[in-house]
Amino acid sequence: MPGSVQNAAPATVLPQSMCRAFARLQEYPIIENEYRNGESQRSVQSTTSRKRWRLAKRLSPTALEALRDFYDARRGATEPFYFYDPYETSPKFSHDPTGQATAGRYTVRFDSEWSQSVGLGRADVSLELIELA
């Protein structure tokens, strides 16, 4: 069918050392109409939340290099991959590098461009992951 979009088909998994560097955010998408008199009208777009993960800690040079290599291999936000949320895996904080385990596994992509600042011995990187359908 013309105009159809294929579902994301991840081929790899974010390394375990990187899964622990992200903080989780949830948002519930809504449609909001605001009127001139100050009233607003809202309706829910989805019954489930859309999850995001934001890089939450400074990285050592080796962790920075590993993340940058993974980011470049995915061509930035172009290619999807699996991400294991360590709090949702069974048992907790377990990781499946093959991507076969489904507990805590999300199909995600990078949701931002690579941005970094480097200090003495550590690097601050600004990155987000976003859950795909």
Side-chain angles (χ1 to χ4, degrees), residues 50 52-53 71 76-77 109-113 127-130:
R50 188 168 194 188
R52 292 177 174 270
W53 292 267
Y71 181 87
R109 68 171 174 79
F110 289 106
D111 193 38
S112 59
E113 296 296 321
L127 273 181
E128 276 192 19
L129 307 177
I130 189 165

Side-chain angles (χ1 to χ4, degrees), residues 1-2 26-27 30 41 43 122:
M1 171 182 254
Q26 282 184 255
E27 58 187 32
I30 61 169
Q41 184 179 25
S43 63
R122 298 282 178 186

Side-chain angles (χ1 to χ4, degrees), residues 22-24 51-54 83 85 106 108 127-129:
F22 287 85
R24 179 176 162 168
K51 293 158 192 71
R52 292 177 174 270
W53 292 267
R54 184 173 293 143
F83 171 79
D85 189 327
Y106 291 94
V108 299
L127 273 181
E128 276 192 19
L129 307 177

Side-chain angles (χ1 to χ4, degrees), residues 16 23 30 38 67 92 99 104 132:
Q16 181 181 14
I30 61 169
L67 182 58
K92 289 206 184 294
L132 302 176

Side-chain angles (χ1 to χ4, degrees), residues 3-105:
S4 292
V5 177
Q6 296 290 339
N7 287 337
T12 189
V13 179
L14 185 70
Q16 181 181 14
S17 61
M18 291 289 98
C19 289
R20 296 185 305 250
F22 287 85
R24 179 176 162 168
L25 308 158
Q26 282 184 255
E27 58 187 32
Y28 291 87
I30 61 169
I31 299 172
E32 181 177 13
N33 292 323
E34 290 190 30
Y35 301 102
R36 285 186 177 188
N37 64 358
E39 293 180 0
S40 67
Q41 184 179 25
R42 296 181 181 116
S43 63
V44 178
Q45 252 183 335
S46 171
T47 56
T48 59
S49 66
R50 188 168 194 188
K51 293 158 192 71
R52 292 177 174 270
W53 292 267
R54 184 173 293 143
L55 195 60
K57 70 178 191 177
R58 290 184 165 175
L59 301 176
S60 66
T62 54
L64 174 67
E65 183 178 0
L67 182 58
R68 182 61 195 221
D69 290 345
F70 188 83
Y71 181 87
D72 289 341
R74 305 289 76 74
R75 296 183 307 240
T78 306
E79 206 174 283
F81 55 93
Y82 288 129
F83 171 79
Y84 281 96
D85 189 327
Y87 290 97
E88 291 187 14
T89 58
S90 181
K92 289 206 184 294
F93 298 98
S94 61
H95 184 79
D96 179 15
T98 65
Q100 298 300 314
T102 57
R105 182 184 76 186

